[in-house]
Amino acid sequence: GSMSSLRVADAFVVKYSAAGGQTELNPHRDGSVLSFNIALNDMGEFTGGGTWFRSLDRSLRIDRGQMLMHASGVLHAGHPITEGT
C-alpha cells in the first residue's frame, strides 16, 4: 500500500490529573490498525503514568515530544499517575 492510503480514524487527548481528575485509562484495544501515543508533558511533571501493555506486564513511559506506536489490537491501558498532571 501507498502512504497516501493512511488516515486518522480517531484522535483524542487525555489529560491525567492526580488532583481529582482522570488518573488512568482502563485496559482496552483500539479500533484501528496502529495506535500512536505522543507525550505532551515532561516526565518530571508527574509520577507514575505511561502506557501499560498486558503482553509486557509493565508500563512504558515516554518524555515530552516522544511517540510510542503499537498495534491497536494489543491490550493496553493508561497506567495510573499518583502525582502531577
Side-chain angles (χ1 to χ4, degrees), residues 5 13-14 20 31 34 36 41 43 45 51 54-55 57-58 64 71 75 77 81-82 85:
S5 64
V13 175
V14 177
L34 295 173
F36 300 85
N41 290 58
M43 285 195 296
E45 295 180 19
T51 304
R54 181 177 70 177
S55 59
D57 194 28
R58 65 174 284 212
R64 182 174 55 160
L75 188 65
I81 64 167
T82 56
T85 313

Side-chain angles (χ1 to χ4, degrees), residues 3-22:
M3 290 296 285
S4 64
S5 64
L6 290 177
R7 65 182 176 82
V8 175
D10 187 22
F12 68 101
V13 175
V14 177
K15 179 179 180 181
Y16 299 104
S17 175
Q22 182 173 346

Side-chain angles (χ1 to χ4, degrees), residues 19-68:
Q22 182 173 346
T23 59
E24 63 187 292
L25 191 60
N26 290 331
H28 64 280
R29 291 178 173 85
D30 298 329
S32 58
V33 176
L34 295 173
S35 292
F36 300 85
N37 299 61
I38 302 171
L40 302 178
N41 290 58
D42 292 324
M43 285 195 296
E45 295 180 19
F46 58 91
T47 303
T51 304
W52 174 84
F53 292 95
R54 181 177 70 177
S55 59
L56 300 176
D57 194 28
R58 65 174 284 212
S59 292
L60 300 178
R61 295 185 71 204
I62 56 176
D63 209 355
R64 182 174 55 160
Q66 294 180 329
M67 180 186 72
L68 174 66

